[in-house]
């Protein structure tokens, strides 16, 4: 770490460089403090967080970034707990994060209840962090992304990002990982109920979960049907055909194959230079998402503006105001 | 039309109300003038265009909005020409628009060459308009959307929007229509080469084109394979399973079924109130897209800013600058 000349002092009396050094040393208190800074909505904290991320930039980016999605009940937590534990047993350091924009409303996030990943939470080579709460999906996703960078700087070489199986959070997670895994239930067809349109096409790997005991045959049939359907519907142009695996998070079946498939996907992407291209495109796209979010923030700066915005949005929704006319109204409001 | 008290005078010496009245009367010169206004990038024109759209709002929204996509060579123009001619023969008034963000670069748009739709171009119940040229996809799409509204106000009850079969224009078109039709070639599998990931999942209707003569059997097999694959992979939750039709634009086969299927889709959406919900969501989403576009415009206002923006984007792409740090830099640049 190079020492910066004029270091702002953080709450807690440390400088950014000290905090960064603590994170790189793998100190959990520093990591937690860094994450708190990243999750803060105060504008002075936001600037400090950006500076911290800039200092740590050369140390981040080294992890395998895995997104895991699937409808509620598909067994995401159980699978991640077992999968993560297997990886730490093999010497990996595993961070588990989440994107759940509903966590502020429901009062609890998908990973808020740590007992759901009791073993992994106690594992010294794992770090389980609940979804940041509050704000828009964009805000929640941005904080998770930045937390991922801090975890990488802290030496975690696998970052698993869980997403709730409903709504737009899947897209946000798919946009921040190297490989997007969709868990499904045995019995193709019925269980598609609840899966959002477009999610299956985003999958780099599909895993039919609960493929154990009496379910095994049904799971194999489901996997085979899915694989056949994907062969017909999926463009072959990008050098990777989404494989369909059978796993059981509960019975620890097929999780080694899952890890191997993730490695194969990575190798394939690297061969076609798809890996660097994906990462670069993600970086630029994060930047623009954050800019849009901040610029839109100008429109919401005062209670008066928020109220006017609400009215205009409602008028557009009801068809009373043309979208382009509402846009002119809004921009006039902020003097543009 | 209610008369507005202080009417700005347009180039050409007419007021907005006169222009609007001309469009509603179905006067082609007025429609063309309105479209020119909508396509203008001058900020005073933009305000006038927004006002015009607001005046015409009660007259717009009545058309069946059909998006037609497919890879180059699939026969989009031929199919639209025949399909559109059939519809005008049945008494419909058909507008054909296009979204092709590449049209400014290549010097010609997909609909620029009017000889490609020679018959429809001469049909007095049809209006064929090439893609607006220049600018970002967002800009091109915005202009096409607004042109669609003007065409509706002018009494066209079917608006067909063609999109090039590559890149992101499909998503933009799918987001502005009631029904999104993807044309495919006979021989499932091979012809998926070139189809962008995610497009098939956006399809409300798939039509295997060139299903004529010697191709007919292959087309039927392809359709049957696609239908089976869709049954396995497609969520059934929204009450509509994407049907796969066999058509031939060239031989005028199956185009009546295509129109009937579009009507069925509409009826299904209306039953589940999905129709109004889709339109409302589209309106609001257009509004935000336009706002983002305009707010981002602030960042590009001067050559200095554009240069700084280019440098920052490059630094983020190369991994030299953290996205959040680049965001802070950019917003500081415009004093936020």
């Amino acid at each position: 770490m190079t020492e910066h000349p004029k270091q702002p002092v953080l709450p807690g009396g440390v400088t950014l460089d000290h905090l960064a050094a603590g994170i790189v040393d793998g100190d959990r208190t520093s990591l937690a403090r860094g994450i708190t800074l990243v999750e803060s909505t105060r504008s002075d904290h936001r600037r400090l967080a950006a500076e911290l991320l800039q200092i740590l930039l050369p140390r981040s980016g080294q992890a395998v970034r895995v997104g895991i999605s699937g409808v509620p009940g598909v067994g995401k937590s159980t699978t991640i707990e077992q999968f993560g534990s297997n990886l730490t047993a093999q010497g990996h350091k595993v961070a588990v994060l989440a994107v759940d924009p509903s966590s502020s409303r429901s009062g609890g996030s998908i990973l808020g209840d740590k007992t759901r990943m009791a073993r992994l939470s106690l594992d010294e080579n794992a770090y389980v962090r609940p979804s940041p709460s509050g704000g828009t999906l964009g805000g929640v996703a941005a904080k998770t992304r930045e937390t991922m960078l801090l975890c990488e700087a802290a030496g975690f070489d696998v970052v698993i990002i869980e997403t709730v199986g409903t709504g737009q959070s899947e897209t946000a997670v798919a946009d921040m990982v190297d490989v997007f895994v969709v868990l499904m239930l045995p019995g193709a067809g019925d269980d598609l109920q609840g899966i959002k349109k477009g999610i299956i096409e985003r999958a780099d790997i599909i895993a039919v979960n609960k493929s154990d005991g009496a379910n095994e045959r049904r799971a194999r049939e489901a996997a085979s049907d899915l694989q056949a359907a994907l062969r017909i519907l999926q463009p072959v142009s990008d050098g990777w055909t989404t494989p369909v695996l059978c796993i059981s998070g509960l019975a620890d079946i097929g999780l080694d194959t899952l890890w191997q498939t993730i490695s194969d996907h990575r190798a394939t992407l690297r061969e076609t230079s798809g890996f660097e291209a994906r990462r670069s495109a993600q970086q630029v796209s994060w930047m623009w998402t954050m800019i849009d979010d901040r610029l839109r923030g100008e429109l919401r700066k005062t209670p008066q503006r928020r109220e006017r915005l609400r009215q205009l949005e409602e008028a557009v929704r009801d068809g009373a105001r043309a979208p382009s006319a509402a846009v002119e109204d809004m921009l006039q409001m902020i003097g543009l």
Side-chain angles (χ1 to χ4, degrees), chain A:
Chain A
M1 296 288 113
T2 52
E3 285 290 331
H4 288 237
K6 282 173 287 177
Q7 278 279 311
V9 175
L10 298 169
V14 293
T15 65
L16 272 182
D17 276 337
H18 279 112
L19 182 59
I23 290 171
V24 169
D25 283 348
D27 172 49
R28 296 235 168 187
T29 312
S30 300
L31 179 59
R33 196 171 280 170
I35 294 175
T36 304
L37 188 64
V38 152
E39 291 185 348
S40 169
T41 50
R42 273 177 48 181
S43 68
D44 55 334
H45 286 176
R46 205 156 49 192
R47 271 163 220 261
L48 290 170
E51 223 176 304
L52 177 65
L53 290 164
Q54 181 61 34
I55 297 172
L56 292 173
L57 193 61
R59 303 290 192 148
S60 64
Q62 305 307 317
V64 179
R65 301 171 176 173
V66 183
I68 295 198
S69 178
V71 295
V74 77
K76 288 187 293 294
S77 296
T78 308
T79 302
I80 292 171
E81 163 117 312
Q82 186 62 52
F83 185 57
S85 298
N86 293 359
L87 289 173
T88 59
Q90 289 163 33
H92 290 288
K93 288 190 71 185
V94 178
V96 179
L97 313 176
V99 172
D100 178 6
S102 65
S103 62
S104 55
R105 271 173 277 147
S106 64
S109 95
I110 48 173
L111 290 175
D113 183 4
K114 282 216 182 181
T115 57
R116 289 174 67 208
M117 291 196 196
R119 191 154 44 115
L120 210 53
S121 297
L122 295 172
D123 190 328
E124 63 174 9
N125 288 311
Y127 186 76
V128 180
R129 179 90 187 175
S131 174
S133 64
T136 58
L137 168 61
V140 170
K143 291 169 192 169
T144 302
R145 276 195 306 256
E146 294 177 355
T147 296
M148 172 172 78
L149 301 178
L150 295 183
C151 290
E152 289 179 334
F156 291 93
D157 65 326
V158 180
V159 179
I160 297 173
I161 305 182
E162 182 180 357
T163 167
V164 283
T166 49
Q168 298 192 283
S169 54
E170 273 89 353
T171 306
V173 170
D175 286 343
M176 70 174 80
V177 296
D178 303 323
V179 59
F180 188 61
V181 181
V182 174
L183 299 189
M184 296 187 74
L185 290 166
D190 307 342
D191 44 290
L192 278 167
Q193 199 97 25
I195 284 200
K196 220 191 120 219
K197 223 178 166 178
I199 296 309
I200 294 180
E201 288 216 9
R202 290 302 299 265
D204 297 303
I205 298 171
I206 291 175
V208 179
N209 197 20
K210 308 196 180 178
S211 174
D212 50 39
N215 276 329
E216 213 186 311
R217 209 174 63 108
R218 274 176 69 223
R220 282 196 194 287
E221 285 168 6
S224 150
D225 286 352
L226 284 165
Q227 191 72 75
L230 282 168
R231 262 191 220 107
I232 288 169
L233 280 185
Q234 206 168 59
V236 288
S237 37
D238 56 356
W240 177 258
T241 307
T242 303
V244 184
L245 313 177
C246 288
I247 65 164
S248 167
L250 193 67
D252 194 5
I253 294 170
L255 299 182
D256 45 350
T257 309
L258 177 58
W259 180 245
Q260 184 56 50
T261 309
I262 288 170
S263 306
D264 292 347
H265 176 256
R266 203 171 182 78
T268 305
L269 277 193
R270 282 202 189 277
E271 268 166 36
T272 59
S273 13
F275 184 80
E276 287 311 318
R278 187 169 176 156
R279 282 267 178 110
S280 285
Q282 284 175 342
Q283 303 266 103
V284 172
S285 144
W286 295 356
M287 183 188 81
W288 282 110
T289 305
M290 279 189 275
I291 288 175
D292 288 342
D293 231 49
R294 290 284 290 280
L295 290 173
R296 285 185 183 189
E298 284 303 299
L299 294 170
R300 297 200 163 98
K301 221 170 188 173
T302 65
Q304 289 79 2
R305 286 186 185 178
R306 285 195 291 274
E307 175 55 18
R308 179 96 181 100
L309 202 60
R310 200 193 55 72
Q311 289 169 353
L312 282 168
E313 198 173 280
E314 197 176 290
V316 168
R317 184 173 290 116
D318 297 347
R321 191 107 185 107
S324 47
V327 169
E328 295 298 330
D329 297 342
M330 282 187 200
L331 295 175
Q332 225 155 25
M333 180 175 84
I334 61 169
L336 285 180

